[in-house]
Every structure is written in structure tokens, then in C-alpha cells.
Amino acid sequence: MKKASAFEIVAARCWNLLNEGRPFTPIFVIGAYLLYHVRDLSEPSFWIAFALGLLVGLPVFGLYFVYDFPLFLRNYLWLPIVAALVLWRDVPLDLGLYGTALGLFFFFTVYFWGTFYYHLRIGTSWWNFRRFWKLVLKNSDSTSGNAQEQMPKFLLLLFIVDMTAQGWQFDGEQTRLLYSWTSYACFVIGLMVYTWVLHRYLFDWKPREIATRTSNVTVPKKGISDKVFVLVIDGMRKDRFEEADAPFLKKWRAEGTEYTQMETVYPARTVVCFSSMFTGTYPREHGITSNMVWSLGIKTESIFDSLRKVGKRGRLLGIAHLIDSMGDDVESVTAVMHNDKADRNIMERAKLIMTEQNPDLLVVQFIATDQTGHSMGALYDEYRVKIEEADRLIAEFAGWLKSEGHADNATFIVCADHGQADGIGGHGHLDEGERYVPFFIHGPAVNRGVKVEDKHSLISVAPTLSYLLGAPFPDHSRGPVLMEAIKARAAAGIPGSRGAESKKA
């Protein structure tokens, strides 16, 4: 399987400017306004008026860049539009501008993204737009495909820019404005207060953070596992996993320890989740707050840094986006391939890494389930089928590891980084289907047939890996080690508690 090329890495970063909702909004407003006024681009007066419109609109641009409006909060985005229309009811509306913007938005999301882009990248049908338009209207995540959030944002911004640009009539030294500065200042201040109140008093579903560093156990001097494999089925919903015909993974789950209330982090974006899983802490500390990574590299230690301290090695096999977070610890894979081949190729690459590098920790990101959810929806049969394919591939991979001697005293963690909501496989705002993920641990040092019902967080992955492999906790690790899964004899370092005991069990 090919590595992600330098071009693909750069292209992935550029795509995030259009994919992530925050940068998309200003880019789209500017682009739509210029396209609508394409005939005026040669006029210096147009550019002066346009620049003034952007300058006047800057406080609102900034406010909408800083604040997402998660889930039901997006319904409140229409009230500022109503207030603006009432406050400046005498301003003539250029309906052509707003119609053009809406047309461009749905062309971009439904056809360019949902059909053309996904056909070229993962081989979806040229007719995918027939389903994708419904997914865009339902979608609730923090991307540009969240129509219910993006539409009121860009319509209000276009109104402010156009109202300002129309109001400045350049005729010698004569200029006039269609509204007073006082009314606009009051509107902006009111919008800021309104936004703050909404997020302060209604935005209450973020996971509660752990305030202290990892301290529930001491890392054993010698690890209790020779190797650990973390198999991440990206974007796998918990309820759809239960519906899937996945006999191998469900057998492993029954033979190991399952965490039934394993919670992802906020925002539940792939690069954010992986960064939290392998640093043991939250986005505010490791610095990765979306898939759009403005400053490359995590700001804290990762499990890979911890392993280097004790002469061990870990590798993360994943898509190009993850390089932005964890750099050289990532073995990148190209995401430009037919989705039916993606996970098979990833598994073959994982075998190659084990053969050539033999790391102590290998993290494998299976991407086909997530990509199917994004392109075709998480509540359709195609999504469940990808979970079933991942089950068969992991069964094959586990058999190969056993035949090659890599699984003799290995621990396996199987999980998702986040789930997916309705719409275009939405994840980010912790809508239904996103928040709790499948998570279970299997291996000779793991308790059999245990279900842990208490709530836990994916930030426990890194410290648990440290404990299993005998490496220090990453410096900002906050998650507790998942000791409910560890056999008492293995935790105590009693001879015979690993190989022989596991065979008897």
C-alpha cells in the first residue's frame, strides 16, 4: 500500500480549509460575493466598497469563527438574521446574491464534495448526490456540510458586507451610508452578548474533564505485555456495531473486558480524538482542537515519546491528517483509493510494519467504515457492511500475528475514536451516535468476561498503554489506567501470570 505522498499531505491540509466549518465560513462568503460580482472586478470602486464591507463585518466574522453552534444551538442562528432585517428594513435586498450563495453552497456540498470528490477519492457512485443532499440537511457536525449552521452564518455575513458595500456611493467626495454606526455597534454588541449567553447557559453537554494527572497506579518496572496492538475502526457507531455480523470481534469482547460507557472527547474530530487517545489528555493541553491543525505537532508528550524513554518503539498506521498531530510517529497511508480496498490494504501494510520494524506498540486505523459514513450515511446498510468487513480483516490479522509469534503475550485494544451521527457521518458536536464508542481489551493479561459499566474516557488509552508496556505516563496524562481489565496476578507481576495462565483460562 502506498504511503501518503507529499502532495496528498498538502492537499489534505488545503481540503481542511473547506471541510472544517470555521475556516469555510469566511472563505465561502468572500468567494460567493466575488463570483456574484464578477463583472465588477475591474472597477476600483468595487474593491474599495468590498474591502469596507469586509472590514465592517470583521467582528461578526471573528465571532462566528470562534464559536461553533453545536446541535440545537444552531437553531438560534436565525434570530440575528431576523433582527438585522428588522433593524435595517429599508436596506434593499439583492435576492440574486443570496440565491447565488445558496446555490453555490449546495453545489459545493452535494455535488462537488458528496459526488465528484468522493467518486475520485474512494469510488462512490456518480449518482451519490441523490442521497447526499438529504444527509447535508440533517448533518450536525462542525464541518462545512452542516447546512443548518452554515446557511444562517453566511447569509448574515453576506447581508452585512453587501449592505456596507451598497451604502458607500463614491461620487467625487460624496459618500453616504445606509445605516448608522450606532445601530451597527449595538447590533454587534448584542450579537456578542447573545452568543456568549447561549454558550454559557445552554451548551452543557461537553464531557467533564479530569482535573488531576494519572495517579491511580504505578507503572510496573517491567511491562506486563510484550506487545500491544490498538485496532481503531474509525467512526464506528456503538449501536451499528451491535447490529453488525461481527463474530470475531464479539468473541474477543466476550473473552476480554468491555467498557460499555467509553466516552470520546470534544470536539469529536479524528485528529483531536487520536491526539487525546495517545497523549492521555484534552485538546486544551495537547493543542489539537480540530482536523484543521494551524500549528503542527502536539504540545505534550505522547505514548510514543514515553516508549522511547525505555528503549521501546511505537508506530501509528493512519491517514495523512494524523501527521499534522504526531509527525514522524505516523506511518501514513494514502486515503485515495476505492473504499472497498482501503482496509485490506491497511492490514497488509500493518503486516509489513510488523515484519520490517517489529514495534512494541502498533496502532492501526481502519478507515473504510468512517469514509462510508461520510459519503453515504451511517444509518444505511453500506455502513454496517464495512464494520463486518473490518471484523473479517481483524480476524485474519490476528491469525497472522499468531502464526508469526507476535501474539504470544500481546494485548489487543479494539475501539473507535468516535461514533457518527445522522447526516454525512457527522462527528464533532457529540450528537446521538457520536459520544460513546465500542471499546474492549483482549489478551492473556486481561480479565475474561468482564463488563465495566462505569463511565470512562478515551484519554485513558495512553496511560493504559504505558502500564502494559512498562513506560512512564506521558507528561500531561490525566486518564486513569484501566485497571478493571488487568488480571490481579499480572498486575502484581506474579510469575506464570501471563503465558501459562492465559492458556489455562
Side-chain angles (χ1 to χ4, degrees), residues 28-45:
F28 180 79
V29 169
I30 292 171
Y33 196 83
L34 292 178
L35 281 173
Y36 182 71
H37 289 281
V38 65
R39 294 181 179 179
D40 302 321
L41 298 184
S42 61
E43 299 293 331
S45 60

Side-chain angles (χ1 to χ4, degrees), residues 56-57 59-60 88 160 163 179-189:
V56 168
V60 182
W88 299 302
I160 292 171
M163 177 174 64
Y179 57 89
S180 72
W181 289 113
T182 301
S183 66
Y184 183 70
C186 290
F187 176 80
V188 171
I189 293 170

Side-chain angles (χ1 to χ4, degrees), residues 57-235:
L58 190 59
V60 182
F61 276 105
L63 190 67
Y64 281 173
F65 186 88
V66 171
Y67 285 97
D68 283 325
F69 281 73
L71 306 182
F72 73 86
L73 288 190
R74 61 189 177 174
N75 298 329
Y76 291 90
L77 284 166
W78 292 103
L79 292 180
I81 292 181
V82 173
L85 292 175
V86 171
L87 186 60
W88 299 302
R89 54 187 174 275
D90 295 330
V91 172
L93 294 178
D94 188 345
L95 297 181
L97 171 63
Y98 307 113
T100 298
L102 290 168
L104 286 171
F105 176 74
F106 284 105
F107 172 80
F108 169 75
T109 54
V110 175
Y111 188 79
F112 180 81
W113 177 1
T115 307
F116 180 76
Y117 168 80
Y118 276 130
H119 178 79
L120 294 183
R121 179 180 161 188
I122 62 174
T124 55
S125 166
W126 281 112
W127 296 98
N128 200 46
F129 60 87
R130 293 186 299 181
R131 179 187 298 180
F132 207 80
W133 72 269
K134 294 181 287 186
L135 304 181
V136 167
L137 290 176
K138 295 179 182 178
N139 192 40
S140 62
D141 70 7
S142 52
T143 69
S144 55
N146 184 344
Q148 292 184 57
E149 181 173 355
Q150 288 299 325
M151 286 193 298
K153 281 186 173 181
F154 71 67
L155 287 173
L156 177 61
L157 287 164
L158 282 170
F159 177 78
I160 292 171
V161 171
D162 191 52
M163 177 174 64
T164 304
Q166 283 188 62
W168 288 90
Q169 304 294 327
F170 293 89
D171 182 15
E173 297 180 355
Q174 300 297 317
T175 63
R176 65 184 182 88
L177 192 59
L178 292 177
Y179 57 89
S180 72
W181 289 113
T182 301
S183 66
Y184 183 70
C186 290
F187 176 80
V188 171
I189 293 170
L191 182 59
M192 289 178 175
V193 172
Y194 175 75
T195 300
W196 182 85
V197 169
L198 288 176
H199 286 76
R200 175 66 177 83
Y201 293 103
L202 297 183
F203 185 13
D204 57 2
W205 59 87
K206 281 187 181 180
R208 181 172 296 178
E209 293 189 0
I210 298 171
T212 57
R213 304 286 184 216
T214 303
S215 60
N216 62 320
V217 291
T218 302
V219 173
K221 292 182 179 179
K222 185 177 181 181
I224 63 176
S225 295
D226 294 334
K227 293 187 184 299
V228 179
F229 299 90
V230 183
L231 308 175
V232 184
I233 303 176
D234 195 318

